[in-house]
Amino acid sequence: MRMRTPVLSSVAAAAAIGLLASGCGGADDGGGVGGVDTLTLGYFPNITHAPALVGVEEGYLADALGDVELSTQTFNAGPDAINALFSGEIDATFIGPNPAVNGWSQSGGTALRVIAGSTSGGAGLVVREGIDGIEDLPGATLSTPQLGNTQDVALRWFAEEQGWEVDTEGGGDLSIVPQGNAEIVDAFVLGEIDGAWVPEPHLSRLVDEAGGKVLVDEADLWPETDGAFVTTHLIVNADFLEDNPEIVEDLLRGHIETVDRVNEDPEEAQRATIAHLGALTGSEPDPEVVASAFDNVTFTVDPIAASLRGGAEHAEAVGLLDPVDLEGIYALDPLNGLLSEAGRDEVEGF
């Protein structure tokens, strides 16, 4: 889905897509499966990427890949991960829905495929004391992590549903000010903003550390999917999938095992998440915040396709994204093959 402020410049996008067409990828030629020695996987140091954090920390993903080495790269923003996928720096990545759809549109549907879900839920609007209801929001200053990102679209769609005017310059009935998640927490504590629409663990940080309260749980805005909506899913470079289906299947096998283990033993998963975040960032998060964040999300390999289409429609409605045909974005046959082998329900795309 193409944002009006594009993820890539037209020149950079063309160059990156050209690299894909020429077969350049994060994997090196060598003696692994199909001549590939390495799979390079991207993910974010966020609780909503816990299956990646746990899968890497506990070795489930590396073990599933066997003789193919797992290399990893972390990102703090979806557009950066998409750029890396375009340029061949990575072969697959955990990522939010809006950047994935934007990358799909940027490449004309050639660069990537969604191969599994990962995380649902864990986002909403946290506000300061004194804002007791939705009717108190007009005139407030609210933040989101990035203009056009998944939470930014959710807040702007929510505002439109209330009949409020907002713009990308921070004006209107609500002043929406995008800024980084860490900056959001600091700004909230200092009283510079009245609230923020954020994902976990920043939602729990605003509540547990900064005295905020949840005014809107985003799950309540998805009645058509019983409150489920995609927060993170797993995508792969389309050329890598075509050239290395067995490696992608192995990655999915490790991903399924990881999600199962996270759900079977959330306390152990939280321990692994804390340890891995500490290794990545140099500071381990508060265990109580992590536990609260885990309570607010659902880990699932179901990509919740209906919410991807719904989010795209919301982004289009608020003027941040141009219409795009999403047919073909899902490549779920490898995942469904593994689920069927295990006697489990298959998942749906569109």
Side-chain angles (χ1 to χ4, degrees):
M1 182 174 300
R2 184 174 63 82
M3 294 180 59
R4 298 189 190 280
T5 302
V7 169
L8 295 173
S9 70
S10 58
V11 173
I17 294 169
L19 283 173
L20 289 178
S22 67
C24 295
D28 298 324
D29 291 339
V33 177
V36 170
D37 283 334
T38 305
L39 180 145
T40 304
L41 178 69
Y43 60 99
F44 294 29
N46 294 338
I47 300 299
T48 52
H49 288 236
L53 302 174
V54 175
V56 174
E57 177 70 16
E58 299 293 273
Y60 303 136
L61 298 176
D63 290 347
L65 288 171
D67 292 336
V68 175
E69 180 184 354
L70 176 67
S71 175
T72 61
Q73 187 169 338
T74 58
F75 301 91
N76 290 309
D80 292 339
I82 291 295
N83 290 351
L85 193 79
F86 276 10
S87 68
E89 290 179 50
I90 60 175
D91 303 306
T93 188
F94 290 81
I95 199 167
N98 279 31
V101 176
N102 193 34
W104 167 263
S105 179
Q106 286 276 350
S107 68
T110 64
L112 62 88
R113 298 290 185 271
V114 178
I115 57 172
S118 177
T119 308
S120 169
L125 176 61
V126 179
V127 295
R128 61 168 173 77
E129 184 178 351
I131 297 180
D132 299 317
I134 293 171
E135 66 278 4
D136 297 326
L137 287 174
T141 297
L142 306 177
S143 283
T144 61
Q146 185 179 45
L147 177 63
N149 94 316
T150 304
Q151 289 76 47
D152 188 68
V153 169
L155 176 55
R156 292 175 190 277
W157 171 252
F158 176 77
E160 178 156 308
E161 288 287 278
Q162 309 308 312
W164 300 332
E165 296 285 340
V166 297
D167 61 37
T168 58
E169 304 300 323
D173 297 314
L174 290 178
S175 177
I176 300 178
V177 182
Q179 54 185 328
N181 283 309
E183 296 172 340
I184 286 173
V185 176
D186 292 340
F188 188 80
V189 169
L190 293 172
E192 296 173 353
I193 59 174
D194 300 302
W197 200 297
V198 288
E200 290 290 6
H202 311 289
L203 185 149
S204 288
R205 287 192 63 198
L206 290 176
V207 173
D208 297 342
E209 299 175 2
K213 60 183 178 182
V214 177
L215 185 66
V216 180
D217 183 343
E218 189 171 339
D220 294 336
L221 307 184
W222 293 97
E224 65 271 30
T225 54
D226 296 323
F229 60 97
V230 58
T231 305
T232 308
H233 51 202
L234 178 58
I235 68 173
V236 66
N237 176 304
D239 287 344
F240 189 89
L241 173 61
E242 182 177 355
D243 295 340
N244 305 283
E246 293 180 3
I247 297 176
V248 172
E249 184 175 296
D250 287 339
L251 174 66
L252 285 167
R253 187 175 286 107
H255 178 50
I256 293 170
E257 179 183 4
T258 302
V259 170
D260 286 347
R261 294 200 179 225
V262 168
N263 289 325
E264 289 165 2
D265 193 347
E267 291 186 359
E268 175 60 21
Q270 290 169 37
R271 183 206 63 76
T273 295
I274 291 169
H276 199 64
L277 285 174
L280 290 175
T281 67
S283 177
E284 292 189 351
D286 184 339
E288 292 186 5
V289 170
V290 173
S292 176
F294 265 66
D295 286 342
N296 288 334
V297 298
T298 299
F299 301 109
T300 175
V301 296
D302 187 342
I304 317 172
S307 71
L308 184 71
R309 190 185 296 277
E313 293 171 351
H314 296 170
E316 178 185 344
V318 300
L320 287 178
L321 300 162
D322 290 333
V324 61
D325 184 0
L326 296 177
E327 294 298 326
I329 193 172
Y330 287 106
L332 299 176
D333 286 348
L335 173 65
N336 281 329
L338 293 171
L339 294 175
S340 180
E341 287 177 9
R344 298 167 64 163
D345 292 338
E346 297 184 3
V347 300
E348 295 183 354
F350 47 75

